[in-house]
Amino acid sequence: MSELSAYSAHKQHKAKQVKTGVTKDTNSHEHEELFRKAYIQKGDVLSVTDCVSIAFNNSPIIRKYKYQLDVAKSNVGIAKSEYFPVIGAGVGFSNINNQNHTDYVRHYREFPTVAVTINKLVWDFGKTTSLIKMEEFYKIGAEYEFVDSLCETLFDVKEKYYTLLYRKSRVAIEKKDYELNEELLDLAEKIAQKDPLRKADVSSARLNLGIARVRYHQAVNDYKNAKIDLDNAMWVEQPEDYTIKSTDTYSYNNEFIDTTVLKEFIPESLPFDRKTAPEIAYKNSPDLKVLIATYKAMEQSLNYIKRTYFPELKASAGYGFNNTNLEKSNSSWAVGVSMDSSVNLMNLRHSIKGADAQLNIADNEIVLFKKNLYYKVNRALNNLTKAELEFPITQVSASNAYTHLQIVIDDYEHQKEDYVAMQAARTNYHSALVAYVEALYAYNVALINVERATHSHLIDIHHKGEHAVHYHSNELVEHVTKWLNCDEKEKRKRQRKEYQL
């Protein structure tokens, strides 16, 4: 979804909230839509959103990037801690018995002594500030990597989802072809009984039936593998039996098999044009944002290296108390300021050169990524245009092939056509059906590739999901943290038992 359309949809959503009195809690509930389903129950009929939700809850890849984000946040805290005071405290006790009673006290004891000191970095000429900024940018990069893992999981699930729908269609087509070959074999045997010269038709029909049987079993196997691929995308092992729903853009209902009623093909309307698509891709791409954040972090790293020879200004303060058995006690208060610096000039010179070269590499990677993304977007749009033009043509071809087959079968039955013409019509009908569902599948894959290139969600995932993924990354982090922390202890206990030798 483009930023313009997202903003427009967001305004309409807000206006609806004001009109109907929807509260923030309802809005929060909408954000949880992509996380509401965590497992499969027997007999479930899953939508795309359901499958994405299950994947989000189960994916170890998403967990990995969430944990990396936690580490990045921790590193920011560690960097900031350089400005925090260092507090030292000590308690001591001393007891001495002297043998020389003339020159020394027979018995000397120091009761518990207490000392408290505070040391604080006052200023190091921007070194620590650069370090903090560097870790902040790395944290931003980790956030975008986390969001990218969510998007990649979503795209992967959608691809596997549509592949399963396609494989289901192929099973229906190959089953129809197998049944049709059985009918043609029966018809050939019936005609051969009346005309012995047509016995060759029977052997040909049996050969074609065997070929159709092999194709049908192959289609069933491909369907099973496609379902395993979807299970893998959702990270579900040995799931309960389930099916998936058709979608608005892939609603094949055995057209030209059980019915000739067709749903009008209306291509999905894109909320952007070819000129603006690359800019939308630049703004939406988490990968590009990671590269930019890394570049900025490396800039701060270079600043840190350049400032290593600057001194560090530190302030310290301390209090001490000492009490002895000689009826003497002492309190002390010390304050100090220090500035020190050390530098290896040769090492510093080459470190700056190396960091500057790394910065140039990072800058070039951003330019390279943007160029590749530009071409990727345009290729995806070209393929979508091609798929939009091809699909209506395959509809007409399938319709014509279906009508032609019915005519030729009737003519063969009345011995007006030979077996070769009938099988040619059947082959054309089968090929037209396959081309029809392949074009339908190719159109949906092309849509997904446009989504992947522009990091938009144009189909299946409704506005709530789009809005959450692209414009509420903080809420996504919050939700993922919520459901990760719920089972964190349980998983850790189970894993530790597994790791025991």
Side-chain angles (χ1 to χ4, degrees):
M1 175 178 284
S2 70
E3 291 194 343
L4 180 61
S5 61
Y7 176 72
S8 176
H10 185 54
K11 284 181 68 179
Q12 295 175 6
H13 180 63
K14 284 293 183 184
K16 185 178 179 181
Q17 283 184 328
V18 173
K19 184 177 180 181
T20 59
V22 178
T23 63
K24 185 177 180 180
D25 292 336
T26 305
N27 194 42
S28 177
H29 174 72
E30 291 179 354
H31 297 152
E32 293 179 353
E33 187 73 15
L34 289 173
F35 300 91
R36 65 181 178 82
K37 191 169 183 63
Y39 55 89
I40 298 173
Q41 294 177 313
K42 188 174 182 180
D44 272 350
V45 182
L46 303 178
S47 65
V48 176
T49 305
D50 291 333
C51 293
V52 171
S53 175
I54 293 168
F56 279 1
N57 279 276
N58 294 325
S59 173
I61 295 176
I62 292 176
R63 291 175 183 270
K64 179 183 75 171
Y65 284 105
K66 174 58 176 62
Y67 299 148
Q68 289 180 356
L69 177 56
D70 292 340
V71 172
K73 290 180 178 178
S74 175
N75 289 338
V76 172
I78 292 173
K80 289 181 177 179
S81 69
E82 292 294 323
Y83 277 127
F84 278 65
V86 178
I87 301 175
V91 177
F93 173 79
S94 177
N95 184 69
I96 301 174
N97 293 314
N98 292 312
Q99 291 182 345
N100 187 340
H101 302 162
T102 303
D103 299 324
Y104 298 95
V105 178
R106 176 191 297 267
H107 181 208
Y108 177 80
R109 176 185 297 151
E110 286 186 354
F111 289 99
T113 57
V114 177
V116 178
T117 60
I118 297 178
N119 293 280
K120 188 180 186 306
L121 175 65
V122 177
W123 184 243
D124 61 358
F125 298 89
K127 284 190 293 184
T128 299
T129 302
S130 295
L131 180 64
I132 294 172
K133 287 182 178 179
M134 180 184 72
E135 296 296 348
E136 286 281 4
F137 284 125
Y138 279 135
K139 187 197 77 170
I140 292 171
E143 288 175 348
Y144 282 117
E145 283 184 333
F146 165 71
V147 172
D148 189 44
S149 72
L150 293 172
C151 291
E152 282 303 311
T153 298
L154 187 149
F155 291 132
D156 185 47
V157 168
K158 289 181 71 170
E159 285 181 351
K160 302 301 191 301
Y161 190 97
Y162 277 95
T163 300
L164 185 58
L165 286 176
Y166 165 69
R167 289 301 174 188
K168 181 181 177 182
S169 303
R170 287 298 302 268
V171 169
I173 291 172
E174 300 304 336
K175 182 180 180 182
K176 174 63 178 179
D177 189 54
Y178 177 53
E179 293 172 347
L180 184 58
N181 273 283
E182 285 184 322
E183 294 174 8
L184 297 183
L185 175 58
D186 293 339
L187 183 59
E189 289 176 341
K190 180 180 177 181
I191 293 176
Q193 289 177 354
K194 298 178 182 179
D195 184 0
L197 296 177
R198 307 292 291 269
K199 288 184 178 179
D201 294 356
V202 176
S203 61
S204 296
R206 286 174 179 165
L207 175 63
N208 289 319
L209 178 62
I211 295 172
R213 183 186 292 115
V214 171
R215 281 203 301 256
Y216 172 64
H217 288 300
Q218 180 64 47
V220 171
N221 188 67
D222 290 341
Y223 173 79
K224 291 178 180 178
N225 287 337
K227 196 168 186 180
I228 291 175
D229 289 341
L230 181 57
D231 294 342
N232 189 5
M234 294 187 292
W235 300 97
V236 177
E237 297 178 11
Q238 299 179 346
E240 297 285 351
D241 188 39
Y242 70 92
T243 55
I244 60 175
K245 299 177 182 178
S246 296
T247 68
D248 291 338
T249 56
Y250 197 115
S251 56
Y252 179 70
N253 298 313
N254 291 352
E255 294 96 299
F256 310 117
I257 294 179
D258 299 330
T259 179
T260 56
V261 178
L262 295 178
K263 181 180 178 181
E264 183 183 2
F265 174 67
I266 302 176
E268 192 72 19
S269 176
L270 300 183
F272 49 78
D273 56 29
R274 183 178 289 270
K275 290 182 179 180
T276 59
E279 288 299 325
I280 291 170
Y282 298 154
K283 292 177 181 178
N284 285 349
S285 174
D287 291 322
L288 182 58
K289 289 181 171 66
V290 170
L291 289 174
I292 293 173
T294 302
Y295 175 83
K296 291 182 177 179
M298 294 175 70
E299 277 186 322
Q300 297 303 320
S301 177
L302 178 59
N303 290 337
Y304 181 84
I305 292 172
K306 289 179 177 178
R307 295 167 180 168
T308 53
Y309 67 91
F310 288 157
E312 294 181 353
L313 178 63
K314 295 181 179 179
S316 61
Y319 170 78
F321 174 76
N322 182 31
N323 191 14
T324 70
N325 63 332
L326 300 180
E327 298 183 357
K328 296 179 180 179
S329 61
N330 181 47
S331 296
S332 63
W333 173 257
V335 177
V337 177
S338 64
M339 180 179 289
D340 56 81
S341 175
S342 63
V343 62
N344 183 324
L345 293 177
M346 184 62 71
N347 181 278
L348 177 64
R349 176 173 176 269
H350 290 289
S351 296
I352 292 174
K353 280 188 174 182
D356 194 51
Q358 292 292 335
L359 196 61
N360 290 334
I361 292 174
D363 181 59
N364 189 67
E365 286 296 318
I366 293 173
V367 174
L368 177 62
F369 182 87
K370 291 184 71 174
K371 288 183 178 295
N372 286 332
L373 185 57
Y374 173 84
Y375 298 126
K376 182 179 179 180
V377 168
N378 280 278
R379 280 194 298 268
L381 290 172
N382 284 343
N383 291 334
L384 180 61
T385 302
K386 172 178 174 287
E388 288 178 353
L389 295 174
E390 284 185 349
F391 181 70
I393 297 173
T394 61
Q395 276 188 322
V396 175
S397 297
S399 178
N400 291 339
Y402 178 78
T403 303
H404 179 66
L405 177 64
Q406 302 304 316
I407 295 171
V408 173
I409 290 177
D410 184 69
D411 287 346
Y412 177 75
E413 190 172 3
H414 293 87
Q415 298 186 10
K416 295 180 182 179
E417 284 284 3
D418 58 13
Y419 182 79
V420 174
M422 185 177 64
Q423 281 296 340
R426 181 201 61 80
T427 300
N428 291 336
Y429 166 68
H430 175 266
S431 299
L433 275 182
V434 171
Y436 175 61
V437 296
E438 284 183 345
L440 184 60
Y441 175 64
Y443 172 71
N444 282 277
V445 170
L447 267 175
I448 293 172
N449 287 335
V450 171
E451 292 179 328
R452 189 189 292 273
T454 59
H455 264 277
S456 305
H457 302 293
L458 308 172
I459 56 174
D460 308 316
I461 305 298
H462 49 68
H463 170 66
K464 289 181 287 188
E466 299 164 14
H467 201 61
V469 168
H470 283 294
Y471 303 100
H472 290 279
S473 58
N474 290 335
E475 283 86 346
L476 280 173
V477 174
E478 180 182 341
H479 289 310
V480 173
T481 301
K482 179 180 177 181
W483 54 255
L484 272 180
N485 291 341
C486 286
D487 63 347
E488 190 71 25
K489 294 181 180 179
E490 182 68 25
K491 283 183 172 292
R492 191 169 294 156
K493 288 179 181 178
R494 185 165 62 250
Q495 289 172 347
R496 284 175 177 172
K497 288 182 180 179
E498 293 173 357
Y499 295 158
Q500 290 178 0
L501 298 178

